[in-house]
Amino acid sequence: MAAQISGISSTCSTASFRDQSSGLAFDSLSSARSNTISFSSSKLNGIRQIRYCDFFLECNWFLRSLPAMGLLLVSPGLYHNVIVLVLFVCWIRSLETRRHHKSSTNCSAVIIDYNSEQMELDTSLSPRVNSVKPSKTVAITDQATALVEAGVPVIRLAAGEPDFDTPAVIAEAGINAIRNGYTRYTPNAGTLELRTAICKKLKEENGISYTPDLIVVSNGAKQSILQAVLAVCSPGDEVIIPAPFWVSYPEMARLADATPVILPASISENFLLDPKLLESKITEKSRLLILCSPSNPTGSVYPKKLLEEIARVVAKHPRLLVLSDEIYEHIIYEPAVHTSFASLPGMWERTLTVNGFSKAFAMTGWRLGYIAGPKHFVAACNKIQSQSTSGASSIAQKAAVAALGMGYAGGEAVSHMVKAFRERRDFLVSALAELDGVKMSEPQGAFYLFLDFSYYYGTEVDGFGLIKDSESLCRYLLEKGQVALVPGDAFGDDTCIRISYAASLSTLQAAAERIKEAILSLKPPVSA
């Protein structure tokens, strides 16, 4: 009969037991990661500390000696009894020697003080988690919300969330799902109804063909992206990320034990990736290129010609895949046109297309996104999801079917929202262009402005201190102007700050006045 004991320290490199009656052996150790767990029991006042792993090893040695010792015990004569005693003493000395040799081993577990009856709990975290930075957009949004709840009139322009209500036809579909009892688990990859509707949308709007088994619906596009990175990246792989980037891309790479490789793009080039720079940075470790168009945080849209140049570079490297984040595809301003990377010649086989319903359909709280791609990769994403969240909300999926039934590119409801976003963009571009030293690249999509405020770095402010970077500038604007924005260093460009114009025009007008008033009070340092 076999059994497995987990949680033994990795210092116990071999510890196997055999059931003599069955002849089956079992290993007491689990994976290398699991083997880092160890236990200790200690007392004060000189009471011995014994590692459980040592105890198991010594018991194993002692138990194997019992048959021979038993034969000696039943044998007559003083000589045999002396041998038994010697064997027992040797076992005790062996245990003591091992204890001293291993006394320096780091035991990270629960330590119990039997005299004072106090317990000290190990609170260390996984190195993988410790390598991940918290999201600054979430942190600043939470901070601004807390200030508002405390009565401070902060204008919140940090979160990327439309201020529109979910269109009525979508909301009604969700309500009807509840009323009709459509509240149970769905297939892990999503309902066939929704995946079929997604395939139809991708064919008609994006020019890419998929079948329902090549779609996985998840709890938001963020989950879809994370699962894709986990599915295709191995430890040591490189994930190529153009900067400015969405804050979560590098952290997702780190969660997969991959290395984010950041390729900077300049404001003079509209924050678009240079294919020549990409080609110079690809190595044998390069596994994934992440593209986002329209872009968060810049609002830049990749023209088809530029994407074709990038595709020609990618095609030279059989191991390199592309994750195309197209969550903002419908929020785009003419004459810009959206192109799906998978629609380019030779790119379908190596592209993972991610999209969702949060932005264009104002469904952020419904938490629904999806990934489309070659079966091998999508099946891996589906497997990860099956062992984490399982299928997305049945109610949200019914609502998403209604959203995709509203017409091409979301129909009139989405067109109305896009028109409002464009009006807001035009206002902010005009208003903030009045500030000295501020540089901008006019966004062609999404609902963000990414402005270069580095002209004001180095300014000393009475009662506040030195504005030295994007983070201190955002703290200044929050404290003095009561406007919450996101520092550009969160997106890989410390010269800029991000302003979300997913707010009413009246709110943006008030915010612009506060920003201008706070900035105009600054006296930028004089260049030598």
Side-chain angles (χ1 to χ4, degrees):
M1 180 174 138
Q4 184 175 358
I5 301 173
S6 61
I8 307 303
S9 168
S10 58
T11 57
C12 306
S13 58
T14 57
S16 61
F17 298 85
R18 182 175 297 275
D19 187 323
Q20 298 296 335
S21 62
S22 65
L24 296 177
F26 67 89
D27 190 349
S28 67
L29 303 180
S30 185
S31 68
R33 185 174 290 113
S34 300
N35 290 339
T36 59
I37 304 172
S38 59
F39 299 87
S40 67
S41 174
S42 62
K43 295 182 182 180
L44 296 180
N45 302 324
I47 302 300
R48 290 181 178 177
Q49 182 182 81
I50 300 176
R51 290 175 55 84
Y52 290 166
C53 59
D54 297 331
F55 178 74
F56 281 124
L57 285 173
E58 298 306 334
C59 283
N60 186 30
W61 182 93
F62 184 66
L63 289 171
R64 289 200 302 265
S65 304
L66 281 179
M69 294 172 67
L71 290 174
L72 291 171
L73 284 171
V74 298
S75 302
L78 177 62
Y79 176 75
H80 299 89
N81 292 334
V82 169
I83 293 177
V84 172
L85 180 60
V86 170
L87 285 171
F88 183 75
V89 170
C90 287
W91 176 64
I92 294 296
R93 292 297 301 273
S94 174
L95 178 60
E96 184 70 13
T97 300
R98 286 178 179 271
R99 184 180 69 82
H100 284 298
H101 285 174
K102 296 177 180 291
S103 61
S104 63
T105 302
N106 180 28
C107 301
S108 57
V110 176
I111 298 175
I112 303 174
D113 184 341
Y114 288 98
N115 289 347
S116 62
E117 296 185 354
Q118 293 180 349
M119 178 182 291
E120 181 179 347
L121 181 67
D122 174 21
T123 58
S124 60
L125 299 174
S126 158
R128 180 182 289 106
V129 173
N130 286 334
S131 72
V132 176
K133 302 173 185 177
S135 169
K136 282 193 176 182
T137 54
V138 172
I140 292 171
T141 299
D142 290 347
Q143 181 183 5
T145 300
L147 289 171
V148 170
E149 291 174 347
V152 181
V154 172
I155 297 177
R156 292 170 285 183
L157 302 180
E161 181 173 37
D163 60 315
F164 298 101
D165 290 334
T166 301
V169 64
I170 300 174
E172 194 62 32
I175 294 170
N176 287 337
I178 297 172
R179 288 174 174 162
N180 295 332
Y182 196 77
T183 55
R184 301 186 182 278
Y185 292 136
T186 72
N188 184 70
T191 65
L192 180 60
E193 179 187 28
L194 177 55
R195 287 181 288 133
T196 300
I198 290 172
C199 290
K200 182 175 182 289
K201 171 256 186 290
L202 291 172
K203 177 65 174 177
E204 294 179 355
E205 297 181 4
N206 304 86
I208 40 182
S209 298
Y210 297 96
T211 53
D213 61 317
L214 304 181
I215 309 291
V216 173
V217 177
S218 301
N219 299 279
K222 179 179 281 190
Q223 180 181 359
S224 299
I225 296 170
L226 175 59
Q227 289 176 170
V229 174
L230 291 173
V232 304
C233 292
S234 300
D237 280 347
E238 294 177 347
V239 178
I240 301 173
I241 306 170
F245 47 73
W246 180 46
V247 294
S248 294
Y249 293 149
E251 309 315 316
M252 289 176 175
R254 294 186 179 99
L255 281 172
D257 290 331
T259 302
V261 176
I262 309 303
L263 304 187
S266 67
I267 193 169
S268 61
E269 298 296 327
N270 297 319
F271 298 115
L272 298 173
L273 175 63
D274 182 352
K276 293 180 181 178
L277 176 62
L278 171 63
E279 188 160 23
S280 70
K281 297 298 182 180
I282 296 176
T283 71
E284 61 182 12
K285 295 182 179 180
S286 302
R287 180 57 171 161
L288 188 65
L289 166 65
I290 299 182
L291 296 175
C292 181
S293 180
S295 167
N296 174 9
T298 67
S300 299
V301 174
Y302 277 83
K304 185 176 182 179
K305 183 178 179 181
L306 179 56
L307 288 177
E308 289 172 339
E309 291 181 40
I310 293 173
R312 283 193 286 271
V313 174
V314 171
K316 300 176 184 178
H317 303 274
R319 193 168 182 269
L320 185 60
L321 305 176
V322 176
L323 190 150
S324 183
D325 183 353
E326 303 180 9
I327 189 68
Y328 293 96
E329 66 161 332
H330 290 326
I331 305 174
I332 197 165
Y333 315 120
E334 294 180 351
V337 176
H338 174 71
T339 300
S340 287
F341 197 80
S343 69
L344 301 177
M347 292 298 107
W348 188 97
E349 294 80 7
R350 64 170 78 213
T351 302
L352 300 168
T353 301
V354 173
N355 211 321
F357 300 86
S358 295
K359 310 301 183 179
F361 296 101
M363 293 177 66
T364 51
W366 295 79
R367 307 310 305 133
L368 207 66
Y370 59 88
I371 187 168
K375 188 170 185 177
H376 176 67
F377 301 124
V378 170
C381 296
N382 192 38
K383 181 165 61 174
I384 294 171
Q385 182 163 298
S386 73
Q387 297 292 4
S388 54
T389 63
S390 297
S393 162
S394 59
I395 300 161
Q397 290 187 63
K398 276 293 187 183
V401 172
L404 294 179
M406 290 169 54
Y408 188 90
E412 185 179 347
V414 172
S415 176
H416 170 75
M417 288 188 275
V418 172
K419 182 179 178 181
F421 285 135
R422 179 165 192 158
E423 181 182 6
R424 299 166 184 182
R425 179 205 66 172
D426 293 345
F427 164 75
L428 279 182
V429 167
S430 175
L432 298 179
E434 299 173 3
L435 294 172
D436 290 339
V438 174
K439 302 174 186 176
M440 69 175 71
S441 171
E442 185 173 292
Q444 300 301 305
F447 37 68
Y448 307 106
L449 271 178
F450 203 61
L451 306 176
D452 184 339
F453 275 86
S454 59
Y455 175 76
Y456 295 93
Y457 294 175
T459 303
E460 189 77 33
V461 182
D462 292 340
F464 176 81
L466 179 67
I467 295 177
K468 59 181 180 179
D469 51 24
S470 61
E471 185 167 357
S472 54
L473 177 61
C474 284
R475 283 193 291 105
Y476 168 75
L477 291 172
L478 181 59
E479 181 178 321
K480 300 297 183 180
Q482 296 181 340
V483 180
L485 309 172
V486 186
D489 68 337
F491 307 100
D493 189 338
D494 196 33
T495 65
C496 297
I497 62 174
R498 191 191 78 172
I499 303 176
S500 169
Y501 51 88
S504 68
L505 185 59
S506 59
T507 298
L508 295 174
Q509 290 169 340
E513 288 302 314
R514 293 185 187 187
I515 292 171
K516 287 195 289 185
E517 183 177 351
I519 293 296
L520 289 174
S521 67
L522 300 177
K523 296 179 180 180
V526 178
S527 300

